[in-house]
Amino acid sequence: MRILKPHSDGEFSIAHWTQLLKLWKTLRTRFSMQDSFVRTFTRVERLNNRTNEERYLRLLQKRSGLFQRVPQYLIASYLGVTPVGLSKIRKRLVKN
């Protein structure tokens, strides 16, 4: 890769801008992919390190309004449990 050097009048040539634009697009794509990987890895780590009940309580604490707007089977899927499992968690918490 060539270092961009301005011409004597302080402007970059079109070829330099074209190269810079290509580099930006490549880096933007790479950063986007890295961000997606980090988010996915973090989610998997949270699923593995917390119990089903802990995940449910955390979601309830962070997004309590979600439970009124989203079907239970989708919430169960997001938490990584079956709808029956979610129902059992809710019953256990009501008893306590």
Side-chain angles (χ1 to χ4, degrees):
M1 180 174 158
R2 199 165 68 168
I3 299 205
L4 296 177
K5 294 182 182 177
H7 291 283
S8 59
D9 61 359
E11 293 183 7
F12 291 101
S13 70
I14 301 272
H16 288 136
W17 282 113
T18 304
Q19 289 174 345
L20 189 59
L21 184 59
K22 284 181 185 177
L23 176 63
W24 170 247
K25 287 180 180 179
T26 301
L27 289 175
R28 188 176 62 188
T29 300
R30 181 174 179 178
F31 291 145
S32 177
M33 290 171 54
Q34 286 176 337
D35 184 54
S36 295
F37 174 78
V38 168
R39 287 178 189 217
T40 301
F41 182 79
T42 303
R43 175 153 165 67
V44 168
E45 189 176 53
R46 285 182 185 157
L47 284 172
N48 289 336
N49 291 333
R50 293 190 179 132
T51 66
N52 296 339
E53 193 170 303
E54 288 171 336
R55 290 194 305 270
Y56 173 79
L57 289 172
R58 182 173 170 82
L59 184 62
L60 188 61
Q61 177 188 18
K62 296 266 183 188
R63 310 249 183 192
S64 59
L66 194 69
F67 290 86
Q68 302 301 320
R69 299 187 320 258
V70 177
Q72 295 299 304
Y73 74 93
L74 290 176
I75 292 172
S77 175
Y78 178 78
L79 294 172
V81 298
T82 63
V84 173
L86 179 59
S87 178
K88 288 179 181 180
I89 291 169
R90 293 174 71 177
K91 278 184 186 178
R92 241 189 338 257
L93 291 174
V94 169
K95 285 183 181 179
N96 295 334

